[in-house]
Amino acid sequence: MTIQTEIDPTAVEEFYGKVAVDQAAAYNAVLVYLGDRLGLWRTLASVDAVTSAQLAERSGLAERYLREWLSAQAAAGYVQYDAATASFSLTAEAAMVLADETGPAFAAATYEVIAAVWAATDKLANAYVTGDGVAWHDHDPRLYTGVDRFYSVAYRNSLVAEWLPGVDGLVERLERGIRVADVGCGLGTATILMAEAFPRSTFVGIDSHEESVRRARVAAQGAGVADRVRFEVGDASAYDGAFDLVCFFDAVHDMGDPVGVLAHARSLLAPGGVAFAVEPYAEDRLEDNLLNPVALPFYAASSCLCVPHSIADGGAALGAQAGPAKLTAAFVEAGFSSARVAAASVGNLVIEARP
């Protein structure tokens, strides 16, 4: 029997309006990414105001394209338009978000990640039909640099200043000198930041993605810490060594077998050792996560990146919104005697586990 549902025209109009706004944002995401890729945001941040012709002269790009690009950004509210002078400007606040890559509010890197995700839509469509995974190395290369740039903002501003101090005595031990592993190190940003802050400690970064490891080695050389940091291509459940601290930066929820990976880390910890994990902030229940204004990007990224990779890696698929209960339970199941949330922020959970 078909159930007849009376349609509310006002509700349809309201929802259509929401979709239209989202469509506009999706269109403009391409242009925001181009602004980041072509250095336009940095150029705009370096001047008070420019016409499209002046921006073309400064950037070396085609004026007609820039005229339309600037108009779109004015329509989006990303730049300010002065009709009297036909010029465009970037506010100081917008510059912090779009142009200042070293600052605490930089967000333009997200658009590079989105570009990589769009490039993988055929693979994702196949995965959704077959149930197969899409591994990290099967994605567009912009994913690796975009994710690193995105996470680097929090790592630079919170890792040494807030997260590590959340674990009792850890900073003091790092200052004295300990052996540290960073599992799933990616391009090595967090590893290098710790090496710069704690010159008496030694560090090993492990990642299964060869190109990321290659780039991490180059970055360590450039930072002048290659004498105390090495990067290895390896499996998260098969690397060797003895460590006082094993770190996972936004990686545990991506693992196909998180319990097995954590158990392996535990087996390599020296007496008194600590496991340390940074994960995306989440509550334990979907209904609570939906109250978080950043729930959508977390779930969207998880649908396109985290869950597909975990399935390709074996299938636990915790997702980027696993929550503290599932995450700490994985550590306990792996044999740790204790696991707790040591610190939390708007975007992150910091978990401390001890054997």
Side-chain angles (χ1 to χ4, degrees):
M1 180 178 67
T2 302
I3 299 175
Q4 297 295 325
T5 302
E6 185 175 346
I7 298 296
D8 181 350
T10 301
V12 172
E13 184 177 354
E14 290 175 353
F15 187 74
Y16 186 92
K18 173 179 170 51
V19 171
V21 169
D22 291 345
Q23 287 174 338
Y27 266 121
N28 196 49
V30 176
L31 299 180
V32 179
Y33 166 63
L34 287 174
D36 177 53
R37 177 171 173 170
L38 298 173
L40 288 169
W41 299 118
R42 292 188 297 275
T43 302
L44 284 170
S46 70
V47 296
D48 291 332
V50 287
T51 63
S52 59
Q54 291 168 335
L55 182 59
E57 183 177 356
R58 285 178 173 272
S59 65
L61 302 176
E63 186 276 334
R64 183 63 188 91
Y65 280 100
L66 293 183
R67 194 190 327 160
E68 211 70 8
W69 183 88
L70 285 165
S71 298
Q73 300 320 302
Y78 278 34
V79 303
Q80 307 299 305
Y81 177 62
D82 183 348
T85 60
S87 64
F88 301 84
S89 61
L90 197 63
T91 66
E93 294 78 11
M96 286 185 64
V97 176
L98 295 171
D100 184 5
E101 193 152 350
T102 63
F106 182 68
T110 304
Y111 293 94
E112 185 176 9
V113 177
I114 293 169
V117 169
W118 270 107
T121 50
D122 288 344
K123 294 177 181 178
L124 288 169
N126 179 71
Y128 272 58
V129 171
T130 63
D132 295 337
V134 181
W136 187 258
H137 62 267
D138 288 330
H139 278 277
D140 184 277
R142 285 171 292 191
L143 180 63
Y144 321 136
T145 52
V147 165
D148 182 71
R149 293 172 69 210
F150 171 78
Y151 281 126
S152 292
V153 175
Y155 296 164
R156 282 193 305 267
N157 289 280
S158 299
L159 174 55
V160 175
E162 300 173 20
W163 297 342
L164 294 173
V167 179
D168 290 343
L170 182 54
V171 169
E172 291 76 12
R173 295 186 67 192
L174 284 161
E175 289 173 342
R176 290 196 300 269
I178 58 175
R179 299 159 297 178
V180 182
D182 178 3
V183 182
C185 65
L187 303 193
T189 296
T191 324
I192 292 169
L193 285 169
M194 289 189 292
E196 291 174 326
F198 305 108
R200 293 184 179 178
S201 291
T202 58
F203 301 83
V204 179
I206 300 107
D207 201 284
S208 62
H209 186 231
E210 291 188 17
E211 176 60 14
S212 291
V213 170
R214 185 192 69 79
R215 294 185 183 212
R217 289 169 177 164
V218 172
Q221 290 283 353
V225 296
D227 59 325
R228 295 178 290 106
V229 178
R230 75 175 191 274
F231 291 100
E232 301 176 352
V233 177
D235 188 279
S237 58
Y239 58 97
D240 298 319
F243 303 100
D244 304 291
L245 173 66
V246 178
C247 300
F248 299 88
F249 292 99
D250 294 287
V252 170
H253 68 272
D254 292 318
M255 302 297 181
D257 179 17
V259 172
V261 167
L262 295 174
H264 182 69
R266 180 184 176 278
S267 73
L268 301 181
L269 281 174
V274 178
F276 178 91
V278 176
E279 285 286 303
Y281 182 87
E283 301 290 347
D284 291 317
R285 304 186 307 169
L286 173 60
E287 55 265 40
D288 295 327
N289 281 330
L290 295 181
L291 300 175
N292 187 343
V294 296
L296 175 56
F298 275 143
Y299 278 117
S302 188
S303 301
C304 297
L305 301 172
C306 310
V307 167
H309 175 77
S310 180
I311 290 174
D313 193 39
L318 288 178
Q321 294 288 271
K326 285 184 180 179
L327 291 168
T328 54
F331 281 89
V332 173
E333 188 178 346
F336 287 88
S337 62
S338 66
R340 71 181 186 97
V341 175
S345 65
V346 173
N348 298 98
L349 295 170
V350 178
I351 297 173
E352 166 196 359
R354 296 182 183 270

